[in-house]
Amino acid sequence: RSLPLKSVYVTFPGDVIKNMTDTELAESYLKRFGYMDTLKRSGFQSMVSTSKAVKRMQRQMGLEETGELDQSTLAAMKKPRCGVPDVAN
Amino acid sequence: YKTFDGDLKWDHNDVTYRVLNYSPDMEIALIDDAFARAFKVWSDVTPLTFRRLFDGTADIMISFGKADHGDGYPFDGKDGLLAHAFPPGAGVQGDAHFDDDEYWTLGKGPAVKTRYGNADGAMCHFPFTFEGKSYTTCTTEGRQDNLPWCATTADYGRDKKFGFCPSELLYTFGGNADGAECVFPFVFLGKEYDSCTTEGRSDGYRWCATTSNFDTDKKFGFCPSRDTTTIGGNSDGDPCRFPFVFLGKQYDACTSEGRGDGKLWCATTDNYDDDKKWGFCPDQGYSLFLVAAHEFGHALGLDHSNIREALMFPMYSYVEDFHLHEDDIEGIQYLYGGRTGPVPTPPQPNPTTDIYPTIDENVTDDPEPTEPTPTTTPQPVDPTKDACKMTKFDTITVIQGELHFFKDGNYWKTSSTSDAGPKGPFSVSQKWPALPAVIDSAFEDVLTKKLYFFSGTRFWVYTGQSVLGPRSIEKLGLPSNIQKVEGALQRGKGKVLLFSGENFWRLDVKAQKIDRGYPRFTDAVFGGVPNDAHDVFQYKGHFYFCRDRFYWRMNSRRQVDRVGYVKYDLLKC
């Protein structure tokens, strides 16, 4: 029985994008595009939950609203796009 | 569709844009064309027109940049973020930025426009055959001068049509060398360079000297990207080197090994392990036209749509035959309404496709003069006096909805509802016999429709053909030391601001008295306009401050939203 090939990731000098985990990618994406934002009201700060943020993102992108970081959601997050946030702050 | 909070939109339909710099990925002419087509997407379905400026501040300032490019919203290298734009407004608002770590094409691989050769600047045809071999990129085969070339038809042997591909050996863009080619080797800070470099720059753009010594001659230009160039990485756009060694293994083609994002890359020397020089492989690239059309949607006031097929959907996808989606049309027409009447034809620049510095001229600076428009109104007193040749007017004001331009006893007028040029000249003395030749300022009282004319320290009030005056402006409460009233702005009903020198006063027209609390400094209230404007007037809801040939236009929020030429924009010459 053959073992699966194990990819070796290297850090390329001068590369702007660093290798990041799916969770890191998702968190960065949700924050950058306004789905997960810190709400400031009368000094009270609350963080929209990741699941809710993922659902909002899935609704915007026309994906099934699972609230989970499934493959289609991650794939959508990796696609090239406009830098303007989807949810205004 | 969605609009930005508060339905941000331009308060004028004649939107201006300016291209501040260019990407090395495509010829300047192709980039200009992509932007023009992207604007046309929106002007086709709205009353908006888009006019390109070549200097000064435009509503939409367009630029390419990499990573942290100065607006607090850095790009992220190749792929990921492609571009962004700001909703309408002053300053950075309305501007569109494109990530130059992307590979900008027309969406289907390298868009290579040729120069010279015998194909009249046609695009390369890939693949093409030359001496029995097929080429998918420009090649230096068959030449001894190392200049890359391509065929512009499928078969060079049959058609013999060719042109030269972008190369630093052929030309540069930007810089200060008028597009001259690179000279290799060249010396920069005492070190010799054999190829384009990013050394000495913080923006990551490749440049070269166009003489053998930059340190002494200071002549430089930016290097156009070759179609074989690598993107990003750390190789300054050098081409891939095959085979190359990576982690001890040999590669004969681009690979995604070693990367978690699946992007194809290559080494630019024969051994990555030793040299660590690499770059991403050229791919289909992103359509500058499609991305620009999307970004300009933001710059006009549209936020992201959640309709996947809409242009304003946030994700990029290439479509061959682009059509604006109904959702986009509904969105933009919600803001600006639909297009009515004939297709607008704003004055267009005639940029040369040669080299960047030569097109850096103001299109509105020297267009062909237009013939005076025939008129059925009273015949001009002296047709040789052409308003379009005047550099400065005594006063400009709106009377019965038409702009009137006064100069030395004559006046011209333009209609606010047509693009016809100025009518006139007409004689001031025939129309208003009591007035002197030089009128410093004038306004029409919105309530009584009386016309107020100022000349020196005197003023006249016309009601139809009857006139009162001259009276001294001191009677209004203006100080005795002012020489003349240079402009007038209506401020609501019954109030008019009178400008002189660096001050203005508020006149209560009914009481014929200056209000208390004046004068005030013009620059304290109207920031950003010339302190020495000689014509000040209100037209179509904007305030205009003129100095010489130029006007500064201010919106109701007292933001200067446009600077332009009286001659072209107001006189419509």
Side-chain angles (χ1 to χ4, degrees):
Chain A
R1 188 176 162 190
S2 60
L3 289 169
L5 285 173
K6 191 179 178 187
S7 288
V8 176
Y9 296 144
V10 302
T11 300
F12 286 83
D15 199 355
V16 179
I17 298 178
K18 307 295 177 205
N19 286 323
M20 43 165 97
T21 64
D22 287 347
T23 312
E24 287 169 341
L25 168 79
E27 193 170 323
S28 154
Y29 188 99
L30 295 170
K31 278 183 181 166
R32 182 193 289 270
F33 298 111
Y35 295 105
M36 199 158 72
D37 201 6
T38 306
L39 302 175
K40 289 182 184 173
R41 294 221 169 84
S42 308
F44 171 75
Q45 293 196 356
S46 71
M47 187 73 87
V48 176
S49 77
T50 305
S51 174
K52 271 188 183 172
V54 170
K55 270 192 181 174
R56 289 176 82 177
M57 179 265 179
Q58 288 167 330
R59 188 179 312 147
Q60 167 71 32
M61 297 300 174
L63 304 168
E64 192 185 351
E65 293 176 41
T66 62
E68 304 281 327
L69 280 178
D70 48 41
Q71 280 310 306
S72 58
T73 304
L74 284 167
M77 288 178 172
K78 288 174 182 171
K79 286 196 170 166
R81 58 160 292 160
C82 171
V84 173
D86 299 327
V87 182
N89 59 35
Chain B
Y1 66 85
K2 209 164 68 177
T3 55
F4 292 107
D5 279 352
D7 287 348
L8 294 172
K9 57 178 276 194
W10 296 106
D11 58 6
H12 49 284
N13 284 350
D14 49 338
V15 178
T16 56
Y17 72 98
R18 183 177 163 198
V19 183
L20 294 176
N21 62 2
Y22 288 90
S23 168
D25 297 344
M26 283 202 291
E27 271 272 0
I28 285 169
L30 289 180
I31 292 174
D32 286 341
D33 180 62
F35 288 145
R37 286 187 293 124
F39 280 119
K40 189 172 182 300
V41 164
W42 299 110
S43 62
D44 275 350
V45 295
T46 62
L48 298 172
T49 60
F50 298 99
R51 188 163 57 89
R52 185 173 172 189
L53 301 184
F54 287 81
D55 58 16
T57 305
D59 296 322
I60 300 172
M61 302 285 260
I62 302 167
S63 60
F64 292 88
K66 299 180 183 187
D68 191 349
H69 54 284
D71 63 2
Y73 298 92
F75 289 130
D76 58 354
K78 184 167 158 47
D79 303 321
L81 305 180
L82 306 182
H84 56 220
F86 297 84
V92 75
Q93 299 288 299
D95 294 356
H97 301 161
F98 297 84
D99 183 358
D100 223 350
D101 275 324
E102 310 304 341
Y103 183 35
W104 292 110
T105 65
L106 299 178
K108 296 201 299 179
V112 186
K113 191 176 188 305
T114 61
R115 289 189 178 200
Y116 309 110
N118 61 0
D120 294 330
M123 305 289 285
C124 289
H125 189 291
F126 296 126
F128 67 91
T129 56
F130 170 58
E131 294 186 342
K133 191 177 165 189
S134 180
Y135 292 85
T136 55
T137 62
C138 298
T139 179
T140 55
E141 284 297 313
R143 297 197 63 87
Q144 293 176 337
D145 54 12
N146 217 23
L147 285 176
W149 68 279
C150 69
T152 58
T153 65
D155 187 344
Y156 176 78
R158 183 189 63 206
D159 304 319
K160 296 279 191 291
K161 285 288 186 187
F162 82 105
F164 291 99
C165 301
S167 157
E168 67 280 7
L169 302 177
L170 199 62
Y171 66 92
T172 57
F173 68 99
N176 62 358
D178 290 338
E181 70 274 20
C182 295
V183 170
F184 297 121
F186 67 88
V187 174
F188 170 56
L189 295 180
K191 188 179 162 191
E192 205 167 82
Y193 291 83
D194 291 315
S195 60
C196 297
T197 180
T198 56
E199 283 297 312
R201 297 193 65 85
S202 58
D203 58 11
Y205 282 93
R206 300 165 64 234
W207 68 280
C208 69
T210 57
T211 66
S212 60
N213 194 320
F214 177 83
D215 297 341
T216 56
D217 304 323
K218 300 280 189 285
K219 286 287 187 186
F220 80 105
F222 295 101
C223 302
S225 297
R226 294 185 180 211
D227 64 326
T228 53
T229 201
T230 52
I231 301 146
N234 63 352
S235 299
D236 291 347
D238 287 345
C240 294
R241 176 74 68 86
F242 299 117
F244 67 89
V245 173
F246 171 56
L247 298 180
K249 189 178 161 191
Q250 185 168 299
Y251 290 83
D252 292 302
C254 296
T255 179
S256 61
E257 277 301 306
R259 299 192 62 86
D261 54 13
K263 292 178 192 171
L264 292 172
W265 69 278
C266 66
T268 54
T269 66
D270 54 16
N271 194 317
Y272 176 84
D273 299 339
D274 291 343
D275 306 317
K276 299 282 189 294
K277 298 295 272 184
W278 70 285
F280 292 109
C281 297
D283 50 23
Q284 294 295 91
Y286 295 111
S287 164
L288 183 61
F289 159 70
L290 288 176
V291 176
H294 174 102
E295 297 309 329
F296 296 163
H298 287 313
L300 296 176
L302 289 180
D303 204 343
H304 282 147
S305 165
N306 60 3
I307 305 279
R308 180 171 284 275
E309 293 75 24
L311 175 65
M312 293 314 293
F313 191 69
M315 273 197 269
Y316 172 88
S317 60
Y318 178 72
V319 283
E320 180 99 39
D321 297 314
F322 171 77
H323 293 292
L324 202 51
H325 191 276
E326 195 58 36
D327 181 64
D328 302 309
I329 296 174
E330 283 177 22
I332 202 69
Q333 291 188 344
Y334 166 78
L335 290 174
Y336 297 99
R339 189 166 68 78
T340 55
V343 178
T345 52
Q348 289 296 315
N350 184 21
T352 167
T353 56
D354 286 341
I355 44 177
Y356 174 51
T358 60
I359 66 168
D360 195 10
E361 60 190 17
N362 194 317
V363 63
T364 56
D365 207 26
D366 194 22
E368 289 295 311
T370 52
E371 292 296 318
T373 307
T375 173
T376 55
T377 49
Q379 285 300 302
V381 290
D382 184 355
T384 62
K385 286 187 175 159
D386 184 354
C388 293
K389 291 179 179 166
M390 303 284 174
T391 55
K392 188 176 173 181
F393 290 92
D394 295 335
T395 192
I396 304 172
T397 192
V398 177
I399 298 174
Q400 293 177 344
E402 292 183 316
L403 265 180
H404 284 58
F405 302 78
F406 290 83
K407 179 79 173 177
D408 295 337
N410 296 303
Y411 72 94
W412 296 259
K413 51 188 183 178
T414 59
S415 166
S416 60
T417 55
S418 87
D419 279 338
K423 296 175 191 170
F426 306 108
S427 167
V428 170
S429 61
Q430 278 183 19
K431 179 80 174 174
W432 300 286
L435 299 183
V438 176
I439 308 296
D440 297 322
S441 188
F443 69 88
E444 182 182 47
D445 179 28
V446 289
L447 283 178
T448 62
K449 301 298 176 192
K450 289 179 179 177
L451 297 176
Y452 287 71
F453 294 95
F454 295 81
S455 180
T457 56
R458 299 179 300 167
F459 75 100
W460 293 257
V461 182
Y462 261 92
T463 310
Q465 285 305 305
S466 62
V467 63
L468 283 174
R471 297 176 68 201
S472 167
I473 57 173
E474 283 186 62
K475 297 281 185 190
L476 299 172
L478 289 169
S480 57
N481 61 336
I482 73 167
Q483 302 292 310
K484 58 184 177 181
V485 176
E486 288 165 312
L489 285 182
Q490 301 277 349
R491 296 303 292 149
K493 290 174 181 172
K495 301 283 186 183
V496 173
L497 304 183
L498 300 177
F499 292 78
S500 182
E502 296 179 355
N503 300 304
F504 71 92
W505 292 258
R506 192 172 71 190
L507 173 68
D508 185 320
V509 181
K510 191 175 176 187
Q512 296 274 297
K513 280 291 174 194
I514 296 296
D515 285 337
R516 292 176 70 177
Y518 292 87
R520 297 175 68 182
F521 286 115
T522 302
D523 62 0
V525 180
F526 300 93
V529 300
N531 233 354
D532 54 349
H534 50 73
D535 299 325
V536 185
F537 58 96
Q538 192 166 356
Y539 182 51
K540 289 184 176 176
H542 287 87
F543 308 140
Y544 287 79
F545 295 78
C546 301
R547 187 172 70 189
D548 297 327
R549 294 178 296 157
F550 307 101
Y551 70 85
W552 281 251
R553 191 178 78 177
M554 188 172 259
N555 62 25
S556 55
R557 296 191 297 274
R558 292 187 194 154
Q559 298 163 323
V560 175
D561 62 8
R562 181 166 175 150
V563 178
Y565 286 82
V566 170
K567 179 174 169 179
Y568 304 116
D569 298 343
L570 298 177
L571 275 170
K572 298 166 186 168
C573 292

